[in-house]
Amino acid sequence: MPSREWETPRYGPHVERHVDRVDVRQDDDELTLILGAAGVHVMLIRLRYAGWVDEVINPAGEIAPGPGAWTLIGRELCLDFGPTAATTLGFPRDCRLQLDVDDDAIRRARAALLEILDCACFVVDTAEGRITS
């Protein structure tokens, strides 16, 4: 396996970020999952219906393609970004988020992620059941 020492994401490798807010917004043009902590956005995961493009937006407003793979196991969301997307966003390639939210927020996040990141490989295992791509 090649060395990953050259990668220096802003949050460090495999750093788990805690999320205490999940919001889902939808209009005619897009569906957006907003993940926040301590009153600020941690990341936005968006599907633009024009072209069915999924993308991620960091707190600085930088945009990159969505992850190639993701998992939601219980309350842990893992996003596997490509090297270019990780560099653009300043996130580790293996970005892990702990969703410290209630069950209703987990259900909303699950539903939004399944729609937004439908083209990526995924494993979802929450109280609503297990799904894999």
Side-chain angles (χ1 to χ4, degrees):
M1 174 177 256
S3 171
R4 295 176 80 179
E5 293 176 4
W6 58 271
E7 296 178 26
T8 54
R10 291 180 211 160
Y11 300 125
H14 306 286
V15 168
E16 187 174 279
R17 305 258 329 190
H18 290 269
V19 170
D20 61 20
R21 182 175 55 86
V22 169
D23 191 18
V24 178
R25 295 190 184 148
Q26 185 170 18
D27 60 29
D28 292 339
D29 299 321
E30 61 190 45
L31 171 64
T32 305
L33 173 63
I34 302 164
L35 303 174
V40 295
H41 295 318
V42 171
M43 104 178 25
L44 283 72
I45 304 172
R46 173 171 71 188
L47 171 64
R48 287 186 296 134
Y49 296 128
W52 289 94
V53 175
D54 61 86
E55 54 196 15
V56 175
I57 305 163
N58 71 8
E62 296 163 313
I63 301 171
W70 62 280
T71 62
L72 177 59
I73 309 294
R75 296 182 183 287
E76 183 178 79
L77 173 62
C78 299
L79 305 166
D80 183 16
F81 291 109
T84 303
T87 299
T88 298
L89 296 168
F91 294 142
R93 288 195 58 194
D94 179 15
C95 184
R96 297 171 186 261
L97 302 170
Q98 181 65 38
L99 305 181
D100 297 329
V101 296
D102 63 25
D103 291 340
D104 183 54
I106 294 292
R107 281 189 289 277
R108 287 184 283 122
R110 171 191 164 111
L113 287 164
L114 285 169
E115 184 169 345
I116 295 169
L117 300 177
D118 181 48
C119 294
C121 296
F122 62 86
V123 175
V124 177
D125 192 358
T126 62
E128 290 74 37
R130 183 176 173 87
I131 303 171
T132 61
S133 65

